[in-house]
Amino acid sequence: NSKQGVLNYLPTLLKQLADGSLINLAVVVDADTGSDGGYQRTFDLVNATVNPIGYSLKANSIGGLIFGHNDGLADFGLWIMPDNTQEGMLEDWLKECIHHNELTLFKHAQSVVEELPKPQKFNSIHRSKAEVATWLAWQKQPGHGLYRAVTDQLLDSNKPHYSQLIAWLTHIYA
């Protein structure tokens, strides 16, 4: 339920990949920002966890990260939200994928969050969370999780961030 939780559980998952209990493994974590992590710090934490087990980053052209094992065990994939290059989180990825029919409402949600009285109760690094939560609260089924953005077709699958994630997942689970 957290990046640290994933890091703690990753060796167990990799053992299951090695013994065939798992056939494929894709890990998605937020990069976060600053003292909470950032892309490079997140990558370094994962790499430090998996390198001693024999996994290292492979070159690939699909956008996500692929780690291969030096003994030929199954690869595993890592996606660091939002796009494997920047600091941020799932909500930043969602913002990049919003369907054009939803942009007016989303921009209004952003302006509402901007106009909240100062000091705002949430940490500034969570601004994207506040904006996306506000936008989702105004949908047909308010109060549901982030998954509603996908199931209610609020995202545009043609947007680069969306298609890159899908291509990476397809590669991992092919």
Side-chain angles (χ1 to χ4, degrees):
N1 192 359
S2 68
K3 185 187 324 187
Q4 192 56 53
V6 169
L7 291 172
N8 292 342
Y9 196 55
L10 189 54
T12 300
L13 293 171
L14 291 173
K15 286 177 188 170
Q16 292 174 347
L17 197 59
D19 72 15
S21 300
L22 289 177
I23 298 169
N24 309 91
L25 178 61
V27 175
V28 179
V29 294
D30 287 341
D32 297 321
T33 59
S35 63
D36 290 334
Y39 169 79
Q40 191 61 53
R41 185 172 189 304
T42 300
F43 175 82
D44 291 344
L45 287 169
V46 172
N47 198 44
T49 300
V50 304
N51 199 270
I53 303 172
Y55 281 92
S56 58
L57 187 64
K58 292 172 58 173
N60 72 75
S61 61
I62 56 169
L65 304 171
I66 307 291
F67 285 80
H69 194 275
N70 56 16
D71 284 342
L73 298 176
D75 294 348
F76 84 93
L78 172 67
W79 189 277
I80 302 175
M81 285 289 178
D83 65 358
N84 294 300
T85 62
Q86 300 179 56
E87 295 189 355
M89 55 195 71
L90 173 60
E91 288 81 0
D92 295 303
W93 179 86
L94 282 167
K95 286 171 55 172
E96 292 295 323
C97 299
I98 292 174
H99 196 281
H100 66 87
N101 294 342
E102 288 292 318
L103 287 177
T104 300
L105 185 61
F106 182 73
K107 288 179 186 200
H108 185 63
Q110 286 180 304
S111 68
V112 167
V113 169
E114 175 62 31
E115 294 170 11
L116 289 171
K118 308 292 190 252
Q120 295 171 339
K121 291 185 175 187
F122 57 87
N123 190 314
S124 63
I125 64 171
H126 294 130
R127 181 182 190 87
S128 291
K129 287 183 179 292
E131 292 169 347
V132 169
T134 302
W135 168 63
L136 289 174
W138 296 339
Q139 299 299 326
K140 290 179 185 176
Q141 296 187 37
H144 290 269
L146 297 174
Y147 70 94
R148 293 307 303 194
V150 175
T151 59
D152 289 352
Q153 300 178 341
L154 303 174
L155 304 179
D156 183 348
S157 62
N158 294 314
K159 296 270 182 131
H161 279 70
Y162 194 106
S163 58
Q164 288 169 355
L165 179 60
I166 295 301
W168 173 79
L169 286 168
T170 301
H171 177 81
I172 298 295
Y173 289 103

